[in-house]
Amino acid sequence: MARYLDDLAAMSDEQLAFRQGKSRSAYDFTYEVALVNRAMARRIAGEEAALEFDGWVVAPPEMCAKEPCARELRESCEAVIAAVEARGREGALAELTTPRGPSSPYEVASFLALHTMYHAAQLNYIQALHGDLEMHWTG
């Protein structure tokens, strides 16, 4: 999460809103990451968590600004961490029912990390398209 947030902070609002052709903006896919994180945090906590998309996720207007977008991502990641921690060491490996079959809170959290990094790479690509080839990670 920290690396993703570092890249978000380094980008301008114009870069974050950038679309070309049928591509999605960084706001759109960052909002998707947060949406999926929140749903999976609920699932890890044992609650029902349906995700239904009609096509690609599009960020609502209130999420198309850097600060609310970053806050939503940060809070959604914190929700996942809290849900896994609440399960405890044993519970993190317990069987969890998902629409794709049996899993565990640990496996779901691992997928969420992969999903986040997938979209972080898209942020890096948008940066490069705008001539920014710097590494913005702080640690």
Side-chain angles (χ1 to χ4, degrees), residues 49-65:
L51 277 171
E52 296 181 25
F53 304 139
D54 185 21
W56 293 112
V57 173
V58 176
E62 64 272 14
M63 288 295 135
C64 292

Side-chain angles (χ1 to χ4, degrees), residues 15 124-134 136:
Q15 290 171 326
N124 294 152
Y125 185 65
I126 292 170
Q127 289 170 322
L129 288 174
H130 288 90
D132 180 356
L133 301 178
E134 289 185 43
H136 296 285

